Amino acid sequence: MSDQPNVGRVQIDDVVIRFATKQGEMTALDRTRLVLEPGTFTALIGPSGCGKSTLMNAIAGFVTPSEGRLSLDGTPITGPSNDVGVIFQQYALFPWFTALGNVRFGLKQLGLSKAEEIDRARAALDEVGLSAHADKYPQQLSGGMKQRVAIARTFVVGPKVLLMDEPFGALDAQTRISMHSLLMGVWQKHRATVLFVTHDVDEALLLADDVRVMSQAPGRMIRHYNLTEPRPRAFSRSGPNLLEIREEILGLLRPDEDLIAT
Amino acid sequence: MAVTSTSQPRPPAAVWRRPLSALASGGAPLISFAFVLGIWTIVSLLKIVPETIFPSPWSVWFATIEMWQNGTMPNDLRVSLGRAAIGFAIGASLGVLLGLMTGRVAIVRTLLNPFLNLLRPIPAIALVPVAIVWFGIGEGSKYFVVSYTVFLTVWFNTHHGMQYVPGTYLRAARSLGASKLREFVTVIIPAAAPHIFAGIRLGVALAFLSLIAAELSGASSGLGFRLQEARQYIRTDRMFSLLIILGILGATVDYVVHRIGQKLVHWEQGQ
């Protein structure tokens, strides 16, 4: 809604996350220190199982770190809240509600009148180009449309931080590209701090201000790129810089052939 | 490539499992009923088995008319349906309530689940003697046996459904700022609803089953009692009539409950 560049600062202080497994304790995320500045768009990239989703779940308040401290604008994160919105790869829309009903879900807590609630939800669906499908149920929508409903549902409550866990991973290439520009449009309007988990290097480079690369498990941050290229970006007109970074990241991510063989 | 194939498009397999739902759309089951009735008629005409042991379709028909006209049939139907309905209502509401609790509250689950799982394999009919001692041969024992049986099934399915509420729904609800109560009412219950309805549908079938079990031994009215009474007079025509009515009744109620379920959990039917 409004530009509030000073809220949505996520601070990750020496966070370590371990899980108990049958084989004993497993470190999912190695000691990590990171700050997400208000209104920035960070892409987190790394090999499967490197702990990038674990870090995201911790910021969302779904997982409690074993060590260290997570805070949003100085307040410790103790559990999920509507300050931190989450977009899931599998959409997580409620199939018993229509598209409009799903968007209204998050508005319920605001104590709006019914008319205003519906107006706001419709406006949010309009923003993602789905006003014509407001009364359809999720199972009647395509994957791309479902994710657009999810984006509308999350942005409508005005989160300070938006976490996206491989949100477009299940979509085809064509739909992905249109989702990228849609996301950019919505984000530039609402200006939340975004953490975008992906394993698609191109997606990371086209969308993010900061690209952070993680190591193999147990994951930790191994490289940081700050991208200043204007948006919308394309590899064809961004000069050699993006392509060089792309090669470098691909090199970092290239799995160890010896490990694969075993 | 299918030129040589003369097979016609076959009805979906579900038609055979739910004869009455297909009957409603005027389907193939009528053929099945006509076929069985035809064989029954032939067997009766050939007089292979004595009429008193295996009654003919027409004597069953006349027995039905007789029971209807002397007033026992309408009364038995009313009494039995009333017992089944009341027992079902008590059992199903308790089952859903407790299922929601054992599904969500760890302490209730720890205290009750092992015990309830021990009760589940006990057949309803085994409870009848206890029910008669506790509640006499009046309505009380029937309500008890029916509601008990329905309760266990509905509880089990509800509990099961609660266990399978997808974690991402809960995460989504919480990160959208839903309170615990709203999450429970608008996310957890709908997510478990398909299982709850499966339990309710099973419960309806079991309500009839356990009611007849209760009425067979220790009752002075109802379809089960009338069956038992017919045995004393060796009136197999009446027995057949009552059995067919039980079949039609059960299938009709099942169909109605199934359709209501489809309406209420409409999202499960979508592809």
Side-chain angles (χ1 to χ4, degrees):
Chain A
M1 269 144 255
S2 55
D3 269 45
Q4 288 173 302
N6 294 321
V7 298
R9 187 171 191 273
V10 178
Q11 196 167 338
I12 300 155
D13 283 330
D14 290 317
V15 164
V16 180
I17 299 171
R18 296 188 202 91
F19 291 122
T21 65
K22 278 175 194 157
Q23 286 80 42
E25 241 182 21
M26 193 222 21
T27 305
L29 183 74
D30 215 346
R31 195 164 301 277
T32 297
R33 185 178 297 169
L34 186 66
V35 172
L36 305 177
E37 293 296 345
T40 57
F41 194 121
T42 304
L44 193 56
I45 194 162
S48 316
C50 73
K52 51 193 192 296
S53 295
T54 307
L55 176 60
M56 210 204 74
N57 285 336
I59 301 173
F62 302 145
V63 172
T64 311
S66 317
E67 281 180 39
R69 191 168 164 277
L70 283 156
S71 58
L72 171 60
D73 295 330
T75 314
I77 294 171
T78 52
S81 85
N82 55 338
D83 283 337
V84 182
V86 185
I87 303 272
F88 302 86
Q89 185 181 358
Q90 291 308 325
Y91 324 120
L93 296 176
F94 305 126
W96 45 89
F97 290 138
T98 59
L100 188 73
N102 268 282
V103 179
R104 286 177 66 186
F105 183 88
L107 292 171
K108 296 275 182 205
Q109 64 196 307
L110 303 182
L112 306 168
S113 71
K114 195 182 172 193
E116 194 179 345
E117 190 180 295
I118 292 173
D119 280 352
R120 280 219 213 169
R122 282 202 184 278
L125 281 175
D126 197 29
E127 213 177 309
V128 295
L130 283 182
S131 11
H133 303 283
D135 297 324
K136 287 194 180 157
Y137 287 92
Q139 53 279 26
Q140 298 169 301
L141 301 173
S142 71
M145 288 166 136
K146 284 182 201 169
Q147 202 55 296
R148 284 193 270 164
V149 175
I151 289 172
R153 177 174 77 168
T154 307
F155 269 113
V156 81
V157 294
K160 295 170 184 160
V161 178
L162 180 63
L163 307 171
M164 306 182 87
D165 192 1
E166 302 194 26
F168 311 135
L171 305 177
D172 61 82
Q174 204 61 41
T175 312
R176 244 169 202 250
I177 291 167
S178 66
M179 293 300 293
H180 288 162
S181 59
L182 181 124
L183 174 63
M184 280 296 122
V186 177
W187 170 63
Q188 272 156 3
K189 193 172 161 213
H190 295 276
R191 276 293 158 186
T193 309
V194 175
L195 182 65
F196 188 103
V197 169
T198 181
H199 52 227
D200 181 336
V201 181
D202 293 0
E203 189 170 66
L205 292 173
L206 291 175
L207 297 178
D209 299 309
D210 295 278
V211 176
R212 295 196 181 260
V213 185
M214 285 180 81
S215 71
Q216 296 202 322
R220 61 203 159 74
M221 303 292 160
I222 51 171
R223 198 68 64 89
H224 172 211
Y225 299 94
N226 184 255
L227 307 178
T228 49
E229 280 78 0
R231 298 185 178 91
R233 294 180 193 144
F235 288 104
S236 50
R237 55 184 141 82
S238 287
N241 188 23
L242 279 187
L243 286 171
E244 274 167 29
I245 297 174
R246 182 172 183 262
E247 283 313 306
E248 233 177 274
I249 296 177
L250 285 172
L252 288 169
L253 293 178
R254 197 155 293 144
D256 196 328
E257 320 275 299
D258 301 337
L259 278 174
I260 291 287
T262 54
Chain B
M1 62 189 230
V3 190
T4 52
S5 167
T6 54
S7 67
Q8 293 169 354
R10 305 206 48 185
V15 168
W16 303 104
R17 275 187 252 117
R18 289 202 304 269
L20 261 119
S21 58
L23 179 64
S25 55
L30 276 180
I31 300 170
S32 159
F33 298 148
F35 171 73
V36 173
L37 188 63
I39 299 216
W40 186 7
T41 308
I42 292 166
V43 169
S44 303
L45 283 173
L46 293 176
K47 300 195 187 302
I48 304 168
V49 191
E51 173 80 29
T52 40
I53 303 296
F54 192 76
S56 63
W58 47 92
S59 57
V60 169
W61 174 253
F62 289 127
T64 312
I65 303 270
E66 181 199 348
M67 286 191 287
W68 192 265
Q69 279 171 350
N70 69 18
T72 54
M73 178 76 84
N75 188 53
D76 289 336
L77 274 174
R78 192 176 47 76
V79 168
S80 287
L81 280 174
R83 287 168 178 162
I86 290 173
F88 172 81
I90 297 171
S93 27
L94 284 177
V96 170
L97 261 173
L98 202 69
L100 295 178
M101 284 174 74
T102 55
R104 293 311 291 177
V105 189
I107 178 80
V108 183
R109 180 162 56 237
T110 312
L111 284 174
L112 292 180
N113 273 34
F115 174 65
L116 290 173
N117 278 316
L118 197 75
L119 292 184
R120 284 202 310 124
I122 302 175
I125 196 159
L127 279 170
V128 175
V130 184
I132 290 173
V133 171
W134 284 356
F135 301 99
I137 63 160
E139 301 306 286
S141 58
K142 314 298 175 293
Y143 296 156
F144 172 74
V145 172
V146 174
S147 56
Y148 173 88
T149 316
V150 173
F151 161 74
L152 276 181
T153 300
V154 174
W155 163 75
F156 181 72
N157 280 273
T158 304
H159 176 80
H160 207 65
M162 300 292 281
Q163 304 295 295
Y164 282 90
V165 176
T168 50
Y169 286 164
L170 303 181
R171 289 182 165 189
R174 284 172 198 167
S175 65
L176 288 166
S179 64
K180 285 268 175 213
L181 178 68
R182 205 153 61 78
E183 174 189 280
F184 188 72
V185 176
T186 62
V187 178
I188 294 175
I189 291 182
H195 282 93
I196 298 177
F197 256 91
I200 283 178
R201 196 172 166 199
L202 262 172
V204 169
L206 287 178
F208 277 99
L209 210 86
S210 52
L211 172 72
I212 300 305
E215 284 181 346
L216 277 175
S217 49
S220 50
S221 60
L223 296 168
F225 163 75
R226 208 59 64 189
L227 263 171
Q228 189 69 300
E229 188 196 54
R231 183 188 65 81
Q232 282 160 9
Y233 300 107
I234 322 181
R235 287 291 303 267
T236 48
D237 52 348
R238 286 190 177 183
M239 291 184 190
F240 270 56
S241 166
L242 290 160
L243 291 174
I244 291 167
I245 280 165
L246 277 174
I248 294 172
L249 213 60
T252 309
V253 174
D254 180 64
Y255 176 69
V256 170
V257 171
H258 173 62
R259 289 308 293 262
I260 294 173
Q262 276 186 323
K263 284 262 180 296
L264 284 176
V265 290
H266 57 88
W267 61 90
E268 275 291 291
Q269 273 73 45
Q271 55 281 50

